[in-house]
Amino acid sequence: MEKRRVLTGITTTGTPHLGNYVGAIRPAIEASRDPNNESFYFLADLHALIKCHDPKRVQESRREIAATWLALGLDTDNSVFYRQSDISEITELTWLLTCVCAKGLMNRAHAYKAAVQDNESEGAGADPDKGITMGLFSYPVLMAADILMFNATDVPVGRDQIQHIEMARDIALRFNHIYKSQFFKLPEARIEESVAVLSGLDGRKMSKSYNNTIPLFVPEKKLLKLIRKIKTNSLEPGEPKDTEGCTLFQIWSAFADASQIADMRQQYENGIGWGDMKNSLFELVNDHLKEPRSKYEELMGDMGYVEGVMQKGAEKAREEASQRIKLLRESVGFGSFV
Ligand code: TRP
């Protein structure tokens, strides 16, 4: 059986939080252990520049995300783990794809359209392109290059990214057609239905843009403090409580096994107090994170080691990328003169 090639990128603008862990990091590390998969995971630092022009933040986030994945046990012998910006072939491919990509396709991208709409909502005379860089506009082409560079078959992403995978398919087809080749396989988005989308401190989806996250590796005390801040209703201890729509119970379920979930459900019926629930939740989450947290702290203090791992990853990725780009260069007319 041919192996599935699973590829995904993590934009390096923030600090990983519990929602990232449950929704993306944990399933990706699990998938990388499946012998039927080849896994390509990368720090999408070129993408980070679209949203963030603060070099310190970009660098800090690259370090944190790399250390997080390694601390959580990503096996870099059985996966390819790299920084996008280390693979200059990706940037080169981006241009080849840009030159076959219809502008109209990009006009339809949700993220770009939302930015334009936002500008237009400011009323008559507003500049629809205010604050919109070419980076934001052509972002889906870069993403297509990420995916097509390695001929990924499966791309695990959130729902908001489905359109980008469809665009990658469109661009791949167009390139194959124009250059009468079968260079690119058509990738498919993989949306894990079973994976939880965690709610944050205020009950909305946990997201950096809502400022309601629980960072994955905060010190124990801070973790407890944040868990205590999670919004609940005002039911008193002793009153039966609903698990449905309860942020605490949802986070509990993302970390607990089946019997712990059943047990907690019972405690809700019995009217567990919110304070007690929060203490139990802290114990559970903290037990899970204790070991990787200390590994993470160790790695954050040993960037020489992490740098070495990333360079090895880049070497592995480039072995393949450099061969493919050579063929692609020839296909567009950039072969040797002799
Ligand atoms: N754009 C993705 C996001 O914001 C990150 C990303 C960049 C990505 N390149 C990718 C995901 C390639 C999958 C494949 O989540």
Side-chain angles (χ1 to χ4, degrees), residues 266-319:
Q266 188 59 50
Q267 294 199 51
Y268 266 59
E269 270 173 41
N270 298 347
I272 186 175
W274 290 131
D276 290 343
M277 169 52 180
K278 286 178 171 178
N279 287 338
S280 301
L281 181 61
F282 164 73
E283 293 296 337
L284 178 73
V285 174
N286 193 47
D287 274 351
H288 270 77
L289 297 182
K290 235 188 234 152
E291 248 186 66
R293 184 196 293 125
S294 71
K295 182 82 201 154
Y296 174 78
E297 283 162 3
E298 188 188 314
L299 289 167
M300 286 302 284
D302 189 1
M303 274 299 134
Y305 171 79
V306 179
E307 175 65 30
V309 172
M310 298 319 292
Q311 286 188 13
K312 265 199 210 134
E315 222 173 277
K316 262 205 240 179
R318 293 195 65 201
E319 224 170 87

Side-chain angles (χ1 to χ4, degrees), residues 160-313:
D160 59 320
Q161 298 289 319
I162 296 176
Q163 188 194 32
H164 296 145
I165 312 300
E166 284 163 2
M167 290 177 158
R169 294 166 65 90
D170 272 354
I171 297 170
L173 278 171
R174 187 113 181 94
F175 191 96
N176 285 348
H177 174 74
I178 290 176
Y179 294 108
K180 301 186 182 42
S181 69
Q182 290 299 323
F183 276 118
F184 297 128
K185 284 190 190 163
L186 303 186
E188 280 173 43
R190 287 274 170 260
I191 310 292
E192 270 285 6
E193 301 293 349
S194 64
V195 166
V197 175
L198 278 203
S199 305
L201 299 177
D202 58 356
R204 290 186 293 174
K205 177 186 163 184
M206 191 181 291
S207 159
K208 192 169 78 97
S209 38
Y210 294 148
N211 206 9
N212 65 355
T213 68
I214 299 178
L216 192 52
F217 291 136
V218 284
E220 230 167 70
K221 271 200 189 136
K222 177 86 185 171
L223 178 64
L224 179 60
K225 225 170 124 189
L226 286 170
I227 287 179
R228 290 204 169 132
K229 267 172 83 176
I230 296 173
K231 213 168 102 188
T232 58
N233 58 28
S234 53
L235 291 175
E236 297 289 336
E239 292 184 84
K241 298 180 175 61
D242 208 348
T243 54
E244 198 61 35
C246 175
T247 302
L248 294 170
F249 188 78
Q250 191 211 27
I251 301 178
W252 177 270
S253 304
F255 286 88
D257 63 28
S259 86
Q260 290 170 312
I261 296 175
D263 179 59
M264 188 50 78
R265 206 180 283 286
Q266 188 59 50
Q267 294 199 51
Y268 266 59
E269 270 173 41
N270 298 347
I272 186 175
W274 290 131
D276 290 343
M277 169 52 180
K278 286 178 171 178
N279 287 338
S280 301
L281 181 61
F282 164 73
E283 293 296 337
L284 178 73
V285 174
N286 193 47
D287 274 351
H288 270 77
L289 297 182
K290 235 188 234 152
E291 248 186 66
R293 184 196 293 125
S294 71
K295 182 82 201 154
Y296 174 78
E297 283 162 3
E298 188 188 314
L299 289 167
M300 286 302 284
D302 189 1
M303 274 299 134
Y305 171 79
V306 179
E307 175 65 30
V309 172
M310 298 319 292
Q311 286 188 13
K312 265 199 210 134

